[in-house]
Amino acid sequence: MDYGLTDQQNEIVKLAYQVAREKIRPVRERYDQSEEFPWPVVEELRQADLFGVYLPEKYGGMGGGTLDLCLVVEQLSRACAGIALCVAGSGLGTMPILLFGNEAQRQKWLPGLASGKLIGAFAITEAEAGSDATAMKTTAKLEGDHYVLNGSKCFISGGEVAQTYVVFATTNPARGARGIAAFVVEKGTPGFTFGKKEHKMGIRANPTYELLFRDCRVPKENLLYKEGYGLFVAQSTFDMSRPGVASQALGIAQGALDETLAYVRVRKQFGQTVASLQAISHMLADCATSIEASRALLYATGKAMDAAVKPAIDAAMAGGTIVFDEINRIKIRRYTKESAMCKVLCSDTAMKVAVDCVQMCGGVGYMRDFHVEKFMRDAKITQIYEGTNQIQRNEIAAMLIKETASSQRA
Ligand SMILES: Cc1cc2nc3c(=O)[nH]c(=O)nc-3n(C[C@H](O)[C@H](O)[C@H](O)COP(=O)(O)OP(=O)(O)OC[C@H]3O[C@@H](n4cnc5c(N)ncnc54)[C@H](O)[C@@H]3O)c2cc1C
């Protein structure tokens, strides 16, 4: 299907798929089994310049937008969603700096994040604050020129390997959701250490860690935007990053179908190929249809969101202002609903397609060395992180009700 991608976007797709085929496919099983971080592959991704496709050229990026990042993540996930998370997870840890950072903060961190020299991470979840992030207990107290952080975060992707962590903490517990702030905490800051490494069902090439903060002194210039705006930082970031999870899911679904098609068109039972059995051919058709419908929503959302947000980014780059302020000044509407829809549709598609692919391949599909079972294990997380699909549905429904109420008032 022709989605009207630009020449640069078509090139990005080609390049990312080439890296996926030649550099990721041959090693994905090794990293899935060892749960090691794939540094040599990260080096290939850096060489291919795939970390900063969505970042402004001013900081060494390619000047694209959310859709460009999605195209990279989709193609990499066709081979391995865990390795693709090296790029997607760093993107999640970079978006808040792009959207809420001032010029000095952007200059300090974005060039390294754009080149992949720095890897970013995003830390909001705590043991008692998952879907309800406002229940977080990590505190940040201003003492002179530093905020002193105390508390812990759990399930943090890219933990230990990332260099910059956008960490959410409350500066004023009495203010609840309005007391939260976001900080960039660099690896190596005294008082910032790593706790438990999780052992996971899928995306095992990407480490998931507990972060520990004990009297961790963070320079006050590392505060992103203002105290009390942490939840805005998180929500605005998710509006732009959830399509990234959707693209990871889409790549998983496509990868599972690619492998399955290659197998069922040659596997013979009852004197005919398995693909020619009507029961199997209908499953293939349903998988392909769901994937294309998911892709259509994702690309349309990415394009619309990028067209809307680009003037704000351009204005902030030119004037040295903050992108979030420009978004408000230009009165750009939020894409919360569409972004949540992308995540729900693509991740539910990935889960169903991957399960169906295992079924179509029979016993072989269940075996580790055949990889289709890996797509099934990797698919599950896309329904859980960056807000579970239940939370996405809550948000979609809340927006629908709000839109209906305001259209009836008009
Ligand atoms: C592999 C992995 C990587 C992760 N990476 C990161 C990361 O990099 N950074 C980060 O900050 N976090 C990360 N997370 C955390 C992730 O975002 C949370 O796990 C997720 O938001 C759900 O929170 P929870 O696990 O506490 O589940 P809970 O909030 O305890 O939810 C349990 C169940 O209740 C449902 N539920 C809860 N509230 C509602 C509601 N109001 N309405 C309907 N259903 C509801 C949920 O959908 C879920 O099914 C990661 C998690 C995993 C597993």
Side-chain angles (χ1 to χ4, degrees):
M1 186 93 83
D2 180 359
Y3 288 104
L5 300 181
T6 63
D7 289 348
Q8 179 166 307
Q9 288 169 334
N10 282 317
E11 282 305 308
I12 286 173
V13 170
K14 240 200 276 172
L15 179 62
Y17 187 47
Q18 189 185 345
V19 172
R21 243 186 10 245
E22 294 174 9
K23 308 293 180 190
I24 299 180
R25 263 179 132 248
V27 296
R28 63 183 169 187
E29 189 180 350
R30 186 178 120 207
Y31 289 108
D32 179 54
Q33 300 217 356
S34 69
E35 301 187 36
E36 282 166 39
F37 190 67
W39 285 114
V41 184
V42 167
E43 191 47 43
E44 298 287 351
L45 296 168
R46 285 173 179 151
Q47 299 285 334
D49 232 351
L50 289 174
F51 275 94
V53 292
Y54 62 100
L55 287 169
E57 288 168 270
K58 184 174 178 184
Y59 306 112
M62 278 192 201
T66 296
L67 179 57
D68 301 68
L69 176 60
C70 288
L71 295 172
V72 171
V73 174
E74 177 189 350
Q75 295 307 318
L76 301 183
S77 300
R78 282 174 76 177
C80 176
I83 295 179
L85 186 57
C86 301
V87 174
S90 190
L92 175 64
T94 304
M95 279 315 174
I97 303 175
L98 174 66
L99 293 176
F100 290 87
N102 57 36
E103 183 63 62
Q105 292 171 329
R106 294 196 302 245
Q107 296 274 1
K108 181 166 183 190
W109 290 299
L110 291 187
L113 290 161
S115 68
K117 191 166 158 251
L118 296 180
I119 291 179
F122 180 96
I124 193 164
T125 305
E126 297 184 4
E128 303 302 325
S131 298
D132 179 10
T134 63
M136 71 176 63
K137 297 275 187 297
T138 299
T139 54
K141 200 167 164 222
L142 186 60
E143 284 182 11
D145 288 340
H146 290 80
Y147 282 94
V148 181
L149 267 63
N150 277 290
S152 64
K153 298 284 169 184
C154 67
F155 301 165
I156 305 308
S157 300
E160 216 270 328
V161 296
Q163 287 86 17
T164 60
Y165 296 76
V166 173
V167 177
F168 295 80
T170 176
T171 56
N172 188 346
R175 295 201 72 207
R178 299 214 170 265
I180 297 170
F183 304 87
V184 181
V185 184
E186 293 178 302
K187 185 177 176 179
T189 307
F192 171 27
T193 55
F194 301 97
K196 183 183 177 210
K197 179 182 179 182
E198 301 293 343
H199 296 288
K200 310 191 294 284
M201 174 192 290
I203 54 161
R204 297 169 65 184
N206 192 284
T208 308
Y209 264 90
E210 185 183 20
L211 313 185
L212 305 172
F213 303 94
R214 179 174 286 187
D215 293 333
C216 172
R217 295 174 69 80
V218 177
K220 76 175 184 196
E221 56 269 21
N222 290 20
L223 169 70
L224 281 179
Y225 206 61
K226 301 173 193 166
E227 283 188 22
Y229 278 79
L231 220 55
F232 277 103
V233 176
Q235 286 166 344
S236 307
T237 298
F238 287 144
D239 286 353
M240 288 180 72
S241 67
R242 281 175 180 155
V245 179
S247 66
Q248 185 188 31
L250 189 59
I252 291 170
Q254 187 65 62
L257 185 59
D258 293 344
E259 308 265 350
T260 301
L261 272 166
Y263 178 73
V264 296
R265 59 182 283 282
V266 294
R267 166 75 175 167
K268 283 196 173 153
Q269 287 295 285
F270 301 101
Q272 56 182 317
T273 64
V274 166
S276 67
L277 300 169
Q278 194 182 50
I280 300 297
S281 68
H282 285 188
M283 282 169 92
L284 290 171
D286 286 346
C287 288
T289 306
S290 308
I291 289 172
E292 212 54 60
S294 303
R295 184 174 287 123
L297 177 67
L298 176 63
Y299 287 14
T301 301
K303 261 189 175 183
M305 197 171 7
D306 288 342
V309 174
K310 192 152 186 357
I313 295 181
D314 289 348
M317 295 308 112
T321 50
I322 292 175
V323 173
F324 180 68
D325 286 339
E326 296 295 343
I327 286 176
N328 286 335
R329 187 179 63 77
I330 306 173
K331 294 193 169 53
I332 296 169
R333 80 164 178 91
R334 291 186 60 182
Y335 279 81
T336 309
K337 182 180 74 179
E338 293 80 359
S339 162
M341 285 174 165
C342 288
K343 185 184 177 287
V344 165
L345 181 65
C346 293
S347 61
D348 286 354
T349 294
M351 199 65 245
K352 175 152 192 342
V353 166
V355 170
D356 285 352
C357 285
V358 170
Q359 190 67 26
M360 285 188 273
C361 295
V364 159
Y366 198 73
M367 300 304 159
R368 278 207 167 184
D369 50 10
F370 193 67
H371 306 300
V372 173
E373 61 85 37
K374 177 179 175 324
F375 286 108
M376 189 176 113
R377 288 187 284 112
D378 287 348
K380 188 64 209 168
I381 191 60
T382 64
Q383 295 179 309
I384 295 174
Y385 62 10
E386 287 190 42
T388 65
N389 280 7
Q390 285 77 26
I391 296 297
Q392 307 304 312
R393 288 184 166 91
N394 289 351
E395 288 198 14
I396 295 165
M399 294 298 291
L400 288 175
I401 291 161
K402 199 168 146 194
E403 285 167 7
T404 306
S406 61
S407 75
Q408 283 176 351
R409 269 199 306 274

